[in-house]
Amino acid sequence: MTDAIDAALAARNLTLPTPAAPVADYVPAVEAGGLLYLSGQLPFRDGQVMTGRLGEDVDIPTGRQAAEACGLMIVAQLKKALGSLDRVERVVRLGVFVASDARFTDQPKVADGASSLMIALFGEKGRHARSAVGVPVLPLGAMVEIDAVVAIRPA
């Protein structure tokens, strides 16, 4: 599977970022009962958090890019926690938080940036349940934050 993921990343001209360190008192991943729970991941571009609010100063295509960047960080955290992406059995759920104006209602369109990436990288194993929620503000002013639950094989 790792070779297929590397090929899918290359085909999209994407590379996995260095997994981000926690910004407070928590861990990036917890394994329990055959599942890996990943803490919320922020979108980085050129080493900087992508900031702004959808419907205010950020458009949907930029929001989708931010969600994709969160998705890349999720995969990087998976690889770090598991040692190999071959242990991934299924992406179970993504929780997507979108910093948005009170009138903005297209959070699902933004979240598709991460969802489409998971399907592109993991195929059918990347299809997942999801929530997409609008919030007034996110840590560090990020425009998107995504957490994940992933079913994994034993080490």
Side-chain angles (χ1 to χ4, degrees), residues 100-126:
S100 48
D101 179 88
R103 295 175 305 273
F104 185 80
T105 59
D106 285 327
Q107 289 84 3
K109 291 179 183 177
V110 172
D112 277 347
S115 292
S116 296
L117 178 68
M118 294 301 150
I119 296 164
L121 298 182
F122 295 102
E124 285 303 308
K125 294 178 181 185

Side-chain angles (χ1 to χ4, degrees), residues 140-155:
L140 306 178
M143 63 179 80
V144 179
E145 179 178 3
I146 304 177
D147 61 29
V149 179
V150 179
I152 58 172
R153 291 184 194 90

Side-chain angles (χ1 to χ4, degrees), residues 40 49-50 65 89 94 99 107 115 126 132 141 148:
V49 175
M50 297 172 71
Q65 290 172 3
E89 285 188 355
L94 296 181
Q107 289 84 3
S115 292

Side-chain angles (χ1 to χ4, degrees), residues 127-147:
R127 292 196 182 277
H128 53 272
R130 182 183 84 190
S131 59
V133 179
V135 297
V137 66
L138 288 167
L140 306 178
M143 63 179 80
V144 179
E145 179 178 3
I146 304 177
D147 61 29

Side-chain angles (χ1 to χ4, degrees), residues 3 10 21 28 49 56 60 92 104:
D3 290 341
V49 175
E56 186 175 285
I60 291 171
V92 175
F104 185 80

